[in-house]
Amino acid sequence: MLMSFGRLLGNRQYPRLPRNMKHFSMARFGSKFAFLLAALLPSAVAAQDFTATLGGDVDAGFRKTGTFQEKSELVVYLGNINTFLSIAAGASTNISFYTNELTTNMCPDGLGNLQWSVSATFQGKSLTTSVGSWPKDTCWYTLARTNVAVQTSPIARISPSVAGNLEGHVIGISTGGNALSGTLVSQQGNTNAANNMSLIVEPTADASGGDNLSDYIGDQSITSFGDFGGGAIDYSVENTTPNSFTSATVSDLYANVPTGSTDPISSTTSGNGDYLGYFTLNPNGTLTFTRAAAVTAPTVSSVSATVTNGFGPLTVVFSDSTSGSGTNWVWNFGNGTIITNTTAGNVTNIYTMAGSYTVTLTVYGPGGSGSYTVANFIVTSPTPKINFADVSGKLVFTGMNCPSGVQYRILTATNIATALPLWKPIYTNTFGSNGSFAYTNTPGSTNSFFVLVSP
């Protein structure tokens, strides 16, 4: 009996919430306190509130808003996030235990215009799962597909400054359901089909306020918009069934690790979230989760650059050839600059200091990562010092700080505005071993212009 009493107390934990969201009133506290005392009586031993372990609970939320609003909302505990992460790639699992409460209790008018989502998070510094350790404030949630056969674009990871707000709202779905569950038990004397450890049918008109699904998933300004209060993301995580719900709707499940923290799947600290699989809501109300299909690690076969040597500052545009599924392209340019690109597009880096630089590209994807390194790929030289002199009517060019052994050319034109490809080459050579060069020319016209180009 003392263990049950302790568990009930342990479940009364509440997340961080916006100021305008009170968590419970003194009146509610009184009812809960009375219920806790009742737990000591033999008749209340079987009562178990809605599950809120705060350790990776996966909750499905069902609601209707606006003109389609029902008298109740439904929150369903689907298990721990590790259960879903441990499903074999490409495998599916069906969930149906809650459908009677969804179809008959919550939605007597049918499942059309039903807003549904799946989300999870945890409290604490980290959560260890089969795929690794997830950092603090990691949240998992769904994104609705427009085309059921096409995966949505990966979500962008959020900053640590707003991650706590998101975590508080996501976990509030569990703790809010737990709080309402306790209130209903105290009023009804026991749990029942509509209120137990696995699900809670929540009255839409929650007199005490602050504990319904809508209080946590709805926007503070527009409650029908499912963005967890709008303090961290600006898009809805809910999928809405059509008025005539005759074919399945699909939502993709992503993990959102705050930027700056290491993602256990991609090993990155920025970029996009992880695609983990998708949930399908069938017209009969059942859910099916399908783990993301197995994919091979990306293979990077080459790295190329628009120019590999020259005078600093040297602007270089890089590209790559990568096969397989990639989500984050991490470029290390060798000069202290590292950037993460979330597409396979070209990237640009500027080398300001003279030196020889090794470039490494690592591409991360759902199946792992692949790398490609080019040693001493980019060579930059100090800006040359070029002197001009008129020696006995001849034009003499001399210079230092040039790249040893690199070819150079001297071009001439009578009009300085002439496009460079039209300048006439008059001399070709390579810079000396000490980086010097010299050239003497007898101008054919006082209006001649000269350009030194390399390579």
Side-chain angles (χ1 to χ4, degrees):
M1 189 62 63
L2 291 178
M3 291 180 64
S4 296
F5 183 69
R7 192 193 74 81
L8 290 167
L9 284 174
N11 277 350
R12 298 298 187 263
Q13 302 183 46
Y14 298 91
R16 298 183 295 277
L17 295 172
R19 291 181 178 178
N20 64 340
M21 275 193 183
K22 64 178 182 177
H23 212 91
F24 59 93
S25 64
M26 288 304 294
R28 170 165 288 193
F29 177 79
S31 65
K32 290 175 182 174
F33 181 69
F35 170 62
L36 293 176
L37 292 179
L40 294 174
L41 301 177
S43 61
V45 171
Q48 297 289 315
D49 297 353
F50 178 74
T51 297
T53 69
L54 314 185
D57 299 334
V58 180
D59 293 320
F62 302 90
R63 64 180 186 141
K64 292 187 180 183
T65 61
T67 58
F68 305 105
Q69 182 170 298
E70 300 281 6
K71 295 181 179 180
S72 303
E73 300 175 343
L74 176 66
V75 179
V76 182
Y77 171 68
L78 303 182
N80 189 271
I81 187 63
N82 191 49
T83 301
F84 293 88
L85 294 174
S86 300
I87 295 175
S92 298
T93 183
N94 296 315
I95 310 166
S96 60
F97 67 88
Y98 63 90
T99 54
N100 184 65
E101 297 308 314
L102 176 65
T103 56
T104 62
N105 195 331
M106 181 201 152
C107 298
D109 298 327
L111 300 185
N113 307 296
L114 178 67
Q115 296 165 235
W116 66 276
S117 62
V118 179
S119 59
T121 189
F122 61 92
Q123 283 190 340
K125 294 183 178 180
S126 63
L127 179 68
T128 300
T129 66
S130 59
V131 300
S133 181
W134 298 90
K136 181 179 183 293
D137 292 333
T138 294
C139 293
W140 296 266
Y141 51 84
T142 50
L143 197 62
R145 289 188 182 183
T146 302
N147 183 332
V148 295
V150 179
Q151 180 192 334
T152 54
S153 299
I155 58 173
R157 292 167 64 172
I158 59 177
S159 67
S161 62
V162 297
N165 180 284
L166 179 61
E167 179 260 353
H169 279 76
V170 175
I171 211 165
I173 294 174
S174 293
T175 57
N178 177 264
L180 274 175
S181 180
T183 299
L184 293 174
V185 168
S186 67
Q187 295 171 348
Q188 301 166 358
N190 208 331
T191 54
N192 53 50
N195 175 32
N196 50 62
M197 295 178 66
S198 299
L199 59 84
I200 167 75
V201 177
E202 302 177 339
T204 303
D206 176 14
S208 300
D211 284 329
N212 282 93
L213 169 65
S214 288
D215 292 319
Y216 293 101
I217 200 170
D219 189 281
Q220 292 185 15
S221 301
I222 308 173
T223 57
S224 61
F225 194 63
D227 61 1
F228 297 115
I233 59 175
D234 59 1
Y235 51 85
S236 179
V237 303
E238 292 181 304
N239 197 333
T240 303
T241 62
N243 185 59
S244 178
F245 184 31
T246 57
S247 59
T249 58
V250 177
S251 287
D252 295 318
L253 180 66
Y254 291 96
N256 198 328
V257 177
T259 57
S261 297
T262 301
D263 185 314
I265 292 180
S266 68
S267 299
T268 61
T269 58
S270 61
N272 292 328
D274 301 305
Y275 172 61
L276 303 174
Y278 59 91
F279 282 93
T280 301
L281 179 65
N282 303 297
N284 63 359
T286 62
L287 276 171
T288 301
F289 176 71
T290 304
R291 189 73 163 92
V295 294
T296 57
T299 299
V300 186
S301 56
S302 68
V303 168
S304 57
T306 52
V307 60
T308 58
N309 63 76
F311 307 122
L314 181 65
T315 299
V316 183
V317 179
F318 293 91
S319 59
D320 70 287
S321 294
T322 301
S323 59
S325 179
T327 56
N328 294 279
W329 279 252
V330 181
W331 290 87
N332 186 330
F333 298 116
N335 65 338
T337 301
I338 301 175
I339 67 169
T340 298
N341 188 25
T342 56
T343 70
N346 296 343
V347 294
T348 301
N349 188 53
I350 299 176
Y351 294 87
T352 58
M353 304 294 293
S356 178
Y357 300 99
T358 294
V359 176
T360 298
L361 169 63
T362 302
V363 181
Y364 295 92
S369 62
S371 294
Y372 193 90
T373 298
V374 185
N376 303 316
F377 191 30
I378 305 300
V379 178
T380 58
S381 304
T383 303
K385 296 179 179 179
I386 302 177
N387 300 311
F388 306 90
D390 184 351
V391 180
S392 301
K394 296 180 179 181
L395 186 61
V396 179
F397 295 84
T398 58
M400 299 293 294
N401 291 343
C402 300
S404 174
V406 175
Q407 184 186 77
Y408 68 92
R409 295 175 296 149
I410 295 178
L411 315 177
T412 185
T414 57
N415 186 346
I416 196 171
T418 302
L420 189 60
L422 300 179
W423 286 55
K424 179 182 178 181
I426 58 174
Y427 185 73
T428 300
N429 205 339
T430 56
F431 297 115
S433 59
N434 63 352
S436 65
F437 78 96
Y439 169 71
T440 301
N441 179 267
T442 303
S445 169
T446 56
N447 292 325
S448 293
F449 300 90
F450 298 88
V451 170
L452 183 146
V453 296
S454 177

